[in-house]
Structure formats: structure tokens, C-alpha cells
Amino acid sequence: MIDPRRLRVLRALADHGTVTAAAQALHLTPSAVSQQLAALESEVGQELLRRRGRRVSLTSAGELLVGHANAVAAELERAQATLAGLSSGVAGRVEVGSFASAITQVVAPALARLRVSAPGVVVRVRDVEGHASVPLLLDGEIDLAITEEYRPRRDDGRLTRFPLYTEPFDVVLPPSHPLASRAEVDLRDLAEEDWVATLPGNPVRDVVELACGDAGFAPRIVHTSDDFSAVGALVRAGAGVALVPRHALRGIPVRGTAPLRRVFAAVRKGSEDHPLIRAVLDAAR
């Protein structure tokens, strides 16, 4: 028999890429993770990992087993949701991860609704960057993620997604800028400006660089911050210009086709019918 707890360890390794990172996600020691993986290989009678020094990767058998592990995890989520639905009343705690502007736009109003519609539901909110919330969701650290995407991507079969809203990016200019009174701004007119942008690795940074590239130039990024209020303060101080999602920091519309941020709620597949999660989803939507 395959121990489903060891399947969770294999999934964590597939998600995080190294034994050390998988151990951190599972709150285990690296040696415990290695022991669990070795025991799983013994159970299935096949090599699941290729080992090259300290680095490991999945064999074809390992990748196949991860697919089954995802299906098992989804069925366990459904089982938990079904059992929870049998209990009377909707009461319990839901952990929600969301980036700051979506907390303002979606999560806070949803909490106000839940106090009336489902007063037994306790929501705990964690402010987390959009690109970091899905790993927390898959690791079981949160129950629902309010997250974002900037370009179409292949759906992760482990998630169920619910669209919430779409917002364009706006140009943010210092008050004294010659273009500050315009109804729209062409990005090409900002090719020689200093820029304020998010840090490398933040998807917003990628959007800015791609949009400027499409306009024919590479932005000269001088200042960086992942805090949009700090970005706004730097722009107001004349340190540069910026391109940010409208609900994060309202500015001037982009002339032509503006980049978009698509915001959605995500839960682990199978958990969408859990009465507690469903109550929060309904309030958010």
C-alpha cells in the first residue's frame, strides 16, 4: 500500500524543487523528507528521483505518481467538504491570503457581508504578494488565495479558479510633469524618464518592462519598491514615473492598449464545496 502522507512529500518536492525547500514547506527536517521519499520508492518498487550530488529531479515514474498524488489530494479535499456539509450550521475559520489592493477591493467588503450572512465564519487575512499566495495555498498554509495574472497561462490542475475583476495599468506622474494634465499618456513619451518599479521577481515588474518594450524602449529603472504607496510617494517627490495597476495607485490611462491585471480567487481543487470556503467565496464574488 502507498502511504498518502508520503505522496504529500513527493508533491512538495515537485512544487519546490529541492529537498530543503520541500522540508521547509512541510515543517519537516530535510533528513525526514529524504527518509519519506526513500520509503515511498520502496513501496512502489521504482525509482522516483534522479540524484546528482545534492540535486534531485523526478523520474518519469515520479512525475506519473505526482499526477496521481494530485488526484488523491483533490478527492481528500472533496471528502472533507462533503463531511463538513453534513454538519449543521456554518461555523469555523478560513485562512485567506491576498495582496493589499484586493484586500481593499474584495476581502474587506466580503468580511462585512459575512458578519450578516454567516456570522459563524471567522476569516483570518494574510497580506501576501499575489505571486506568492498560490504556493502557500498548495502547501496548505491558507485555504483561499486572492491572486492575479498578467497574461494567459496554463491552468494548474490542482486549483479551482473564480474570476473576480480585471483592472488596467495606469501611468503615475509627478504633479509637475509636463504630461500630468493629459487625459491619456503614450508610453513612448516616457522613454527618457527615470522609472520607479517593483523589485525583480514581482510580476508587475515584468509587465512594466514588457509594456515599455512594446513601446520601443527599455525603462531606466532607478528606484524600486514592492509597496505601491512607497512607489506613489517616490513619484510625487519627482523621483521618476511609474506604471501600476489602477486599484493599487490611480493614475492616468495609457493611450492605446493598456496592460491588464486579472484578479481571481483560487482554492485547492475539491475544496470549493466546503461550506466555510463556499461562504467566503460567495461573499468575495
Side-chain angles (χ1 to χ4, degrees):
M1 295 290 291
I2 297 175
D3 188 334
R5 292 171 297 182
R6 291 172 182 150
L7 292 179
R8 183 168 180 250
V9 175
L10 184 66
R11 291 177 73 220
L13 179 67
D15 282 341
H16 297 281
T18 67
V19 169
T20 299
Q24 290 174 344
L26 296 170
H27 306 291
L28 297 173
T29 64
S31 61
V33 167
S34 296
Q35 290 169 10
Q36 291 291 318
L37 292 171
L40 183 59
E41 286 184 317
S42 178
E43 287 174 346
V44 301
Q46 296 193 52
E47 287 190 354
L48 303 176
L49 306 174
R50 298 186 188 91
R51 297 171 176 83
R52 297 185 180 91
R54 295 183 178 181
R55 299 177 64 85
V56 295
S57 60
L58 294 177
T59 64
S60 57
E63 292 175 351
L64 181 65
L65 190 56
V66 167
H68 287 292
N70 292 334
V72 168
E75 284 302 316
L76 290 173
E77 293 282 359
R78 291 189 186 97
Q80 185 174 354
T82 301
L83 290 172
L86 292 175
S87 62
S88 59
V90 178
R93 189 174 73 191
V94 178
E95 302 276 349
V96 175
S98 174
F99 57 95
S101 63
I103 291 176
T104 301
Q105 297 293 325
V106 175
V107 179
L111 264 61
R113 293 188 190 99
L114 285 167
R115 288 195 183 93
V116 177
S117 63
V121 177
V122 176
V123 178
R124 290 181 56 175
V125 180
R126 184 186 302 191
D127 186 339
V128 58
E129 293 293 337
H131 59 285
S133 60
V134 168
L136 291 176
L137 179 65
L138 292 173
D139 288 342
E141 295 289 326
I142 58 177
D143 304 304
L144 188 151
I146 308 295
T147 186
E148 57 201 334
E149 68 180 9
Y150 300 92
R151 57 181 65 90
R153 61 186 177 190
R154 182 174 58 85
D155 280 346
D156 190 323
R158 297 169 294 175
L159 303 176
T160 301
R161 295 156 46 114
F162 301 88
L164 295 176
Y165 63 89
T166 299
E167 61 179 322
F169 278 62
D170 282 348
V171 173
V172 183
L173 301 175
S176 60
H177 195 281
L179 303 179
S181 60
R182 295 278 184 91
E184 295 179 329
V185 173
D186 191 321
L187 290 180
R188 291 175 295 184
D189 293 334
L190 304 176
E192 300 303 320
E193 302 282 350
D194 290 340
W195 282 73
V196 185
T198 54
L199 296 166
N202 187 317
V204 172
R205 170 77 165 252
D206 298 335
V207 173
V208 171
E209 292 178 337
L210 181 61
C212 292
D214 289 343
F217 69 96
R220 186 171 63 244
I221 297 172
V222 177
H223 308 285
T224 58
S225 174
D226 282 340
D227 184 337
F228 287 118
S229 62
V231 170
L234 288 168
V235 172
R236 288 191 300 273
V241 302
L243 184 65
V244 300
R246 179 169 295 171
H247 287 147
L249 196 64
R250 195 170 186 89
I252 303 170
V254 174
R255 179 177 297 168
T257 302
L260 297 175
R261 171 160 74 172
R262 298 170 181 85
V263 179
F264 62 94
V267 298
R268 292 182 295 276
K269 187 174 289 294
S271 71
E272 60 269 20
D273 291 325
H274 191 293
L276 293 174
I277 293 175
R278 172 56 60 182
V280 178
L281 276 171
D282 288 347
R285 296 174 72 192

